[in-house]
Amino acid sequence: MILILVKKEIKQLLRTGQYRVAGFIVLILTIMAFLVSTGYYKTVQEQHNIAKSNERHVWEHQADKNPHSAAHYGTYAFKPKYPLSLIDQGVDKYVGISIFLEAHKRNEAQYAAATDKTGLARFGELTPDFILLFIMPLLLILLGHDIFTKEKERGTLRLIKSQGINPRLLVIGKWLGVFTPIASLTLVVFTIAGILLGSLSDFGSFSILHLLCMLLIYLIYYAVFTSISLIASLLSKNSGISLVSLLVFWILSSLAIPKAATNLAELKYPYPTKQSFDEAIGLDKSKGLDGYNPWSEAAKILEQETLRKYNVKSLEELPFNYDGFRMQKGEEHEAQIYYRHYNELKKVYGTHNEVYNSFTFFSPFLPTRFLSMSLARTDYNSHWDFSDAAEKYRMLLQDKLNSNFAANSKYGDWAYKADRSLWKELPEFVYGPPALSEILYQNKMSMVALFTWLMVSFCALFFFTKPI
Amino acid sequence: MLRLNILTEFRTIKRNYWLSFITVLLLSLCLYAGWNGQNRVVQRQNSIAAAINQMKASDALMMAHLDSLSAGHEINLASWQYPSLPTAAGDLNPRVTPFNPSHLSFVATGQSDMFNHYVKPTLTDDNFSIAFTELASPVSLLLGNFDLSFVLVYLLPLVIISFSYNILSSEKEQGSFKLIATSPLSLRLWLLQKVLVRFAIIVILLLISLFIMFILFKVSINKLVLIFMLQVCLYLAFWFVLAYLLNLRGASSSTNAIVLLGCWVIVVLAIPSLVGQSANVLYPTPSRTMLINEMRSLQATVDKEQDKILDDYLRSHPELVTREADESTAYGWWQRYFASKNLMLEKMGPLLTEYDQSLKKQQEWVHKLSFLSPSILLQNNLNHISNTSTAHYNSYRESVLHFTDQWRDFFLPLVFQEEAFTKEMVAKLPKFHFDSSKVQSPILLNSTIMVIIITSLLLLSFTIGIKTE
């Protein structure tokens, strides 16, 4: 019985010209979006590889110089782009692409793509995630808004009821009739994505499991919209009211609520301005151990402690260059200051996340948005992860350089120059993204919210079938 | 007859729940969005005020230190931080370069959540090192703000659509259409007066809501506010004309709703995203990664030629040669540093210019295609009125970079001539001023395009005949 109903609904949808045209347009737009995104991804990846190897070349081919000069000369860590970013670009265009790693300073990632674009970029770009998150639910609304109202308007609902059909079976049949075409379109889209991902040279850096999880998330999202469309159609007097009320829900869910959540988060827990953040770090640094300033109080304490520990009377008697040693201690101390301040920043973002999480129960868009970009590794957590890894590498670099300075020269010997072979000995920056299990754990609230939406929308649909 | 019809129409709407619903909806949306925008502006003003107060305190301390030093007293600073050293004065006592909000900045967030509103350029800064991006959560940037421009550009058309998608079709569906068709008034005029009544109601309600909001937020009503109102009315007119056209076609309510919502998706979502993507494909944003790459290669070359650089620099700036550059002194170190930096800037100049020109091409392309969507036109105008457009932030950036050059030009002769920075020089320090009124306004052009679009649609309406059956 259900099969007959589903077949009838799909046949009817396929026979309706406007649905065929809408479906075709969405498919063409999706293919266009994928092709453009793949081209963009390949270009960025190529540039990333060139820049990475060039940066290493520049680093390794420095002349003989003092290791601390090399530390100031610094190096760049370039943020890798992941294959699934061609489906969901997430916050990628709002975060920087590279971090400059130098002595005494933890830098922010620089050059976010959005800062180079006009205000138009804020409207959104035709990318696969734009279609999957915004356009597909609209297509669902188009297909589902009149699924019951048209039967009411034509008077065919009475005819169906007179045949003694179980209302629940009717609803399931209609639900599948609306959901199946969209699910099939989504499957086509993800198959195209799979083929495009397979054609990439760095295909190995993503697991097919991520793609399947993403597909599942979107199918759940569409199932929620299907149920809500059917509820609206069941409760509305005519197709027009049903369509308008569904559109109000769509705009609230996809645009208004996320924006209101942002405003609330920023009002309750504002981010510090860049200048005040830097100044707070500068103030803390000035109070503590400065690698350069042997007259500061903290430096004097360290000096006394070191002399005591090695049981010598002057810094010249130490078995290493005290300048290099103090420089490293200063680095470690400053790294702690940075760690504390960046942790505060993370806490602010954590509170923002709590606000967003509380809003996920008002909008199925929000949990889908967060899960999708996390799986594509284009979310803010992935960026933090990269930034932390870069900072860890910076500290490793400083330690190696300062240790070389301390071990191979004498106190006050700033003219010491390390052999250029040292630059090659220092390890390259390698970054591996978090595992799938970690990503899912970070997004547990979004998963709970999305499943809640699925269950509640299903239950509500069956609750409202009673009047049929 | 016409007057009677208009009165009847107004009374019908008044008796319907729509009028009270739309009144409450528009007022609450305007107040909520305005309040959000206002909060953002207050945060911006507070951060600028705090920075200026801090600068004043730092200046007072610097003056006290300079006094002590001139009297021969010791001060509690490391020797390299002595404000009498031009490098310390120029690096440790920078000026605040504020970009103050205008009185309508709360209307559109525009680019204001992405860029900072003051920087403190120092002597060692250059156009490559100053960060103009604000510390913001990228998730907030991605999801955007619930500001007044969002209400006007995105939500208002939906209110209009839900208010006018079934003017003619509902009469047909209720069976009263044949009765109307028998009246002496032409159907086209009958529909037009119905649309006009609705247009007038929405305009009046919206303007009242906006006025209430302006009064509550103590915004003075001036020419700019009136221009803002006019922009909004033009945008409303566009959507009503579209609704009029669709009603003229005489399709069913459900088809009208679908087509009008389709228009909304195309105008508000699809065209802006397509224009954005076309700019990416036709004029790709030049890669910052490759720019860093070139900069680093250049830096490596400069690094290897350190010794030659100062000689060359002093040869081309003989006015600065009053002392021998001695590497053993701090002055000598700084002289070498600035000479290398100058070479870097000179060599980077063409690269940065080329980069900026590529960006400009992409931005010009986007501007050219703005006419494709009235939503882009309105958003651009609102951003301009709010001083939050890309052009405003570009102009601010240029002003800051110009000021950075002035700041460097003030201190560099002191560094090279090994002169001390004195208390008398404080009054002569370069001052920053940013005049946002110099930014070219797109409002007249955009409004003209909007009028052309509306007129074209109205002319198109004469080609559509009403189906009486």
Side-chain angles (χ1 to χ4, degrees):
Chain A
M1 185 67 183
I2 286 187
L3 207 63
I4 296 169
L5 272 166
V6 176
K7 268 186 187 170
K8 179 246 162 195
E9 287 302 331
I10 293 176
K11 209 177 270 179
Q12 205 167 356
L13 288 178
L14 289 176
R15 277 180 188 164
T16 313
Q18 61 200 46
Y19 298 153
R20 275 209 309 269
V21 171
F24 182 70
I25 290 172
V26 170
L27 190 64
I28 294 293
L29 286 178
T30 315
I31 292 170
M32 265 171 62
F34 266 114
L35 290 177
V36 172
S37 293
T38 312
Y40 175 70
Y41 172 80
K42 280 183 180 167
T43 314
V44 170
Q45 201 60 3
E46 197 181 320
Q47 287 168 349
H48 173 265
N49 291 337
I50 294 172
K52 205 174 139 186
S53 63
N54 183 66
E55 184 58 33
R56 186 66 193 173
H57 177 85
V58 165
W59 172 260
E60 286 180 358
H61 288 81
Q62 292 177 87
D64 294 351
K65 61 165 82 160
N66 187 293
H68 195 64
S69 294
H72 272 287
Y73 183 70
T75 185
Y76 273 87
F78 291 97
K79 193 179 166 200
K81 215 160 169 59
Y82 294 104
L84 276 176
S85 68
L86 71 84
I87 296 184
D88 192 343
Q89 300 198 359
V91 300
D92 256 11
K93 72 174 174 187
Y94 296 108
V95 290
I97 49 161
S98 63
I99 299 181
F100 182 48
L101 311 171
E102 60 174 329
H104 314 301
K105 210 173 167 196
R106 176 174 179 171
N107 291 305
E108 278 289 299
Q110 292 170 295
Y111 310 121
T115 56
D116 284 333
K117 297 188 177 195
T118 63
L120 185 79
R122 308 302 291 275
F123 271 94
E125 278 162 0
L126 186 70
T127 50
D129 59 311
F130 177 77
I131 291 170
L132 290 168
L133 283 161
F134 292 93
I135 307 295
M136 288 290 227
L138 276 176
L139 195 60
L140 254 171
I141 289 174
L142 184 71
L143 300 186
H145 77 279
D146 61 350
I147 201 90
F148 286 109
T149 46
K150 72 182 170 201
E151 304 275 11
K152 288 183 209 166
E153 284 158 7
R154 291 174 194 157
T156 44
L157 193 63
R158 285 180 180 220
L159 204 71
I160 297 169
K161 275 156 75 178
S162 68
Q163 292 181 337
I165 188 172
N166 179 342
R168 287 198 176 147
L169 277 184
L170 178 68
V171 169
I172 292 172
K174 289 214 176 259
W175 191 94
L176 285 171
V178 175
F179 181 72
T180 313
I182 295 295
S184 313
L185 193 61
T186 314
L187 278 174
V188 170
V189 167
F190 273 80
T191 311
I192 295 171
I195 294 166
L196 286 173
L197 287 168
S199 71
L200 298 173
S201 54
D202 57 348
F203 178 68
S205 66
F206 104 101
S207 97
I208 196 88
L209 206 58
H210 282 74
L211 188 69
L212 291 176
C213 280
M214 207 186 246
L215 172 66
L216 181 70
I217 298 297
Y218 279 107
L219 288 180
I220 295 175
Y221 180 50
Y222 301 148
V224 171
F225 262 94
T226 309
S227 302
I228 290 168
S229 301
L230 261 65
I231 293 170
S233 191
L234 265 172
L235 299 179
S236 302
K237 277 185 199 162
N238 61 52
S239 304
I241 292 177
S242 167
L243 186 61
V244 170
S245 50
L246 278 169
L247 206 88
V248 169
F249 174 75
W250 176 84
I251 200 159
L252 280 175
S253 162
S254 314
L255 294 169
I257 291 176
K259 284 176 192 294
T262 296
N263 282 110
L264 183 69
E266 285 186 346
L267 180 70
K268 279 179 81 177
Y269 314 103
Y271 256 54
T273 61
K274 169 105 184 77
Q275 299 286 340
S276 60
F277 181 71
D278 288 347
E279 274 156 18
I281 291 173
L283 191 68
D284 273 3
K285 275 163 87 173
S286 70
K287 286 177 195 161
L289 185 71
D290 179 350
Y292 276 125
N293 187 358
W295 302 280
S296 82
E297 212 169 300
K300 278 179 196 158
I301 295 169
L302 176 74
E303 194 179 304
Q304 295 308 317
E305 278 176 2
T306 314
L307 290 175
R308 241 191 335 267
K309 187 178 170 190
Y310 288 90
N311 201 21
V312 288
K313 285 182 180 150
S314 72
L315 296 172
E316 285 80 2
E317 289 173 48
L318 285 167
F320 49 82
N321 183 347
Y322 179 71
D323 283 330
F325 176 77
R326 194 188 60 230
M327 209 72 77
Q328 180 54 25
K329 289 288 166 198
E331 254 341 312
E332 286 166 13
H333 172 72
E334 284 168 354
Q336 278 175 6
I337 293 172
Y338 278 112
Y339 177 78
R340 204 170 55 243
H341 283 272
Y342 274 83
N343 239 14
E344 286 300 315
L345 210 57
K346 274 187 196 172
K347 273 186 201 162
V348 177
Y349 173 62
T351 48
H352 279 207
N353 250 354
E354 282 169 21
V355 174
Y356 287 123
N357 281 336
S358 58
F359 274 80
T360 52
F361 293 97
F362 301 102
S363 149
F365 167 87
L366 275 176
T368 314
R369 168 85 273 183
F370 284 117
L371 281 164
S372 172
M373 61 185 181
S374 296
L375 288 165
R377 292 164 186 159
T378 53
D379 62 331
Y380 198 17
N381 283 328
S382 300
H383 183 72
W384 270 120
D385 196 57
F386 166 74
S387 168
D388 289 345
E391 173 63 3
K392 212 171 157 188
Y393 175 72
R394 184 181 79 87
M395 286 314 295
L396 175 88
L397 215 57
Q398 300 311 314
D399 184 27
K400 298 256 181 209
L401 292 169
N402 285 326
S403 302
N404 178 285
F405 184 33
N408 298 301
S409 58
K410 289 190 172 154
Y411 180 60
D413 180 14
W414 280 94
Y416 164 72
K417 285 182 179 174
D419 186 76
R420 60 190 68 191
S421 62
L422 173 68
W423 323 131
K424 283 186 185 165
E425 284 168 26
L426 298 169
E428 275 190 63
F429 173 62
V430 186
Y431 171 66
L436 178 64
S437 54
E438 198 181 323
I439 290 170
L440 294 177
Y441 180 75
Q442 279 169 352
N443 289 280
K444 53 186 182 302
M445 279 308 289
S446 295
M447 285 199 291
V448 171
L450 196 60
F451 280 109
T452 311
W453 268 103
L454 182 71
M455 299 319 292
V456 170
S457 60
F458 263 132
C459 294
L461 178 63
F462 286 111
F463 175 78
F464 289 116
T465 42
K466 279 180 191 169
I468 295 180
Chain B
M1 181 71 185
L2 197 65
R3 193 175 151 265
L4 199 66
N5 267 339
I6 290 173
L7 271 176
T8 317
E9 180 62 16
F10 183 72
R11 276 189 200 128
T12 318
I13 293 170
K14 207 175 115 187
R15 280 176 197 154
N16 199 307
Y17 65 94
W18 265 112
L19 197 61
S20 41
F21 173 70
I22 287 179
T23 311
V24 175
L25 184 74
L26 287 180
L27 188 63
S28 43
L29 281 176
C30 287
L31 289 179
Y32 175 63
W35 179 68
N36 279 335
Q38 213 44 20
N39 284 332
R40 181 170 283 283
V41 169
V42 170
Q43 278 178 357
R44 176 173 162 182
Q45 282 167 331
N46 289 346
S47 70
I48 292 175
I52 289 175
N53 285 339
Q54 205 179 21
M55 182 184 78
K56 283 179 184 164
S58 158
D59 278 0
L61 191 65
M62 177 176 73
M63 294 293 265
H65 281 151
L66 286 171
D67 267 344
S68 302
L69 285 173
S70 62
H73 299 306
E74 281 283 307
I75 55 169
N76 188 24
L77 282 178
S79 57
W80 61 272
Q81 292 173 326
Y82 277 23
S84 54
L85 288 171
T87 46
D91 243 7
L92 303 175
N93 294 288
R95 304 297 88 189
V96 173
T97 57
F99 179 3
N100 290 307
S102 75
H103 78 303
L104 282 183
S105 281
F106 70 99
V107 169
T109 307
Q111 304 284 70
S112 69
D113 52 352
M114 207 153 57
F115 296 107
N116 42 25
H117 297 106
Y118 72 91
V119 284
K120 292 158 113 180
T122 64
L123 179 59
T124 47
D125 271 328
D126 55 61
N127 55 1
F128 206 76
S129 66
I130 302 175
F132 286 92
T133 41
E134 189 49 278
L135 204 61
S137 158
V139 178
S140 307
L141 296 177
L142 177 73
L143 299 175
N145 284 276
F146 199 114
D147 56 6
L148 206 56
S149 70
F150 169 68
V151 171
L152 300 172
V153 175
Y154 285 78
L155 302 185
L156 208 56
L158 291 174
V159 175
I160 297 168
I161 291 171
S162 58
F163 196 39
S164 52
Y165 75 97
N166 61 350
I167 303 177
L168 192 82
S169 52
S170 66
E171 303 283 356
K172 276 187 177 179
E173 280 148 19
Q174 286 162 19
S176 47
F177 181 69
K178 295 226 162 151
L179 201 69
I180 293 159
T182 57
S183 78
L185 199 66
S186 89
L187 277 174
R188 199 179 293 276
L189 202 58
W190 173 85
L191 185 64
L192 190 64
Q193 49 98 6
K194 281 207 155 221
V195 172
L196 279 175
V197 169
R198 282 165 163 78
F199 174 66
I201 289 173
I202 296 275
V203 165
I204 291 166
L205 288 180
L206 184 69
L207 293 188
I208 290 173
S209 304
L210 289 173
F211 271 116
I212 292 174
M213 183 197 67
F214 285 139
I215 290 163
L216 282 177
F217 296 140
K218 293 173 186 150
V219 177
S220 53
I221 311 291
N222 60 8
K223 192 178 140 200
L224 206 58
V225 171
L226 297 177
I227 291 174
F228 161 67
M229 303 276 200
L230 188 70
Q231 298 306 313
V232 177
C233 291
L234 277 176
Y235 189 61
L236 288 180
F238 164 77
W239 284 101
F240 271 106
V241 170
L242 209 59
Y244 170 63
L245 272 182
L246 258 294
N247 273 286
L248 266 182
R249 281 177 68 247
S252 68
S253 299
S254 143
T255 311
N256 278 353
I258 290 173
V259 177
L260 274 173
L261 292 176
C263 289
W264 180 85
V265 172
I266 289 168
V267 171
V268 180
L269 293 180
I271 294 178
S273 66
L274 270 170
V275 171
Q277 198 66 294
S278 72
N280 287 343
V281 175
L282 295 172
Y283 300 100
T285 317
S287 164
R288 286 279 185 191
T289 312
M290 298 317 285
L291 188 69
I292 294 172
N293 207 342
E294 305 220 28
M295 188 268 292
R296 290 295 278 177
S297 301
L298 205 61
Q299 203 178 351
T301 319
V302 170
D303 205 41
K304 279 179 187 152
E305 292 174 8
Q306 272 294 349
D307 295 330
K308 216 175 135 270
I309 292 166
L310 183 62
D311 291 347
D312 288 350
Y313 182 76
L314 291 178
R315 216 169 289 135
S316 54
H317 294 278
E319 75 282 3
L320 298 177
V321 189
T322 55
R323 300 276 197 283
E324 279 298 310
D326 182 358
E327 203 182 339
S328 63
T329 67
Y331 271 105
W333 188 89
W334 280 111
Q335 286 165 359
R336 290 165 65 83
Y337 171 85
F338 283 114
S340 326
K341 198 171 183 74
N342 191 64
L343 185 73
M344 271 292 291
L345 289 178
E346 268 175 25
K347 289 201 172 180
M348 283 296 290
L351 261 179
L352 290 174
T353 313
E354 196 188 326
Y355 186 89
D356 285 343
Q357 275 170 353
S358 311
L359 266 186
K360 229 177 193 169
K361 267 188 189 167
Q362 194 195 49
Q363 293 175 355
E364 276 168 9
W365 169 257
V366 167
H367 280 300
K368 271 183 200 161
L369 293 187
S370 299
F371 74 90
L372 287 174
S373 159
S375 301
I376 304 180
L377 294 174
L378 180 67
Q379 184 69 60
N380 285 349
N381 284 352
L382 294 182
N383 285 354
H384 184 84
I385 286 169
S386 308
N387 282 6
T388 56
S389 69
T390 309
H392 279 95
Y393 284 92
N394 281 346
S395 173
Y396 170 68
R397 187 171 162 269
E398 276 166 24
S399 294
V400 171
L401 292 180
H402 177 65
F403 174 76
T404 311
D405 287 343
Q406 286 180 320
W407 189 252
R408 197 171 40 243
D409 290 346
F410 181 87
F411 284 101
L412 270 197
L414 302 179
V415 175
F416 278 92
Q417 289 161 2
E418 297 184 19
E419 268 183 45
F421 180 74
T422 61
K423 200 178 160 185
E424 290 69 39
M425 290 178 185
V426 174
K428 291 177 193 160
L429 283 173
K431 287 182 177 62
F432 177 79
H433 175 67
F434 173 56
D435 183 7
S436 61
S437 64
K438 283 180 185 161
V439 176
Q440 203 185 353
S441 166
I443 293 177
L444 187 64
L445 179 67
N446 288 350
S447 309
T448 314
I449 295 172
M450 193 85 106
V451 171
I452 292 171
I453 293 173
I454 294 169
T455 318
S456 312
L457 287 177
L458 275 174
L459 289 175
L460 191 69
S461 74
F462 290 106
T463 64
I464 300 171
I466 302 178
K467 287 184 200 163
T468 45
E469 286 305 319

